[in-house]
Amino acid sequence: QQKGEATMQTAPEKEEFRKYLEKTGVVDAITKVLVSLYEEPEKPTDAIDYLKKHLGSVLGVDIDAMKRENDDLRAQLERANATVADLEKKVVELSAASATPNASS
């Protein structure tokens, strides 16, 4: 059997899986996105990209807001790491200065 090839399932297994998808809201969410795509006056050139972008909104997730937040958090982390590096450098400098005897004593 090749990778990506569906395994043969028994009818009860398929039915159980279908019920699982319905119970967890997957069928409803996918249906809403497909209906949204169907109702688009101008169909997108990349339907898969459309589905990826709009599935989150059907589930109440603002993908663009999450991306902006991720970018903001990455920038914040970069600034924090730079601050840590500066402070570590100062600690080394201060430790070296305190270890060196004062020339005026």
Side-chain angles (χ1 to χ4, degrees):
Q1 187 169 9
Q2 293 181 354
K3 184 178 180 179
E5 194 174 305
T7 59
M8 295 300 289
Q9 296 177 334
T10 64
E13 288 174 327
K14 288 180 182 179
E15 181 63 21
E16 184 179 328
F17 186 66
R18 186 190 61 75
K19 286 179 181 178
Y20 162 75
L21 293 176
E22 286 180 357
K23 183 175 124 183
T24 57
V26 173
V27 171
D28 188 45
I30 291 174
T31 301
K32 286 179 182 177
V33 174
L34 291 173
V35 168
S36 167
L37 175 60
Y38 174 77
E39 293 174 346
E40 279 290 320
E42 292 188 30
K43 303 297 182 242
T45 55
D46 187 347
I48 296 294
D49 189 48
Y50 178 92
L51 295 175
K52 287 178 184 177
K53 287 181 180 177
H54 290 82
L55 185 59
S57 64
V58 167
L59 300 174
V61 176
D62 184 346
I63 302 296
D64 291 331
M66 290 181 79
K67 286 180 180 179
R68 285 191 303 274
E69 180 183 15
N70 189 326
D71 290 342
D72 291 345
L73 290 171
R74 286 180 186 272
Q76 184 180 348
L77 178 60
E78 196 172 306
R79 289 190 305 272
N81 285 337
T83 300
V84 167
D86 288 343
L87 292 173
E88 287 174 340
K89 183 179 175 184
K90 287 180 183 177
V91 167
V92 169
E93 290 170 357
L94 290 172
S95 295
S98 67
T100 306
N102 193 341
S104 63
S105 17

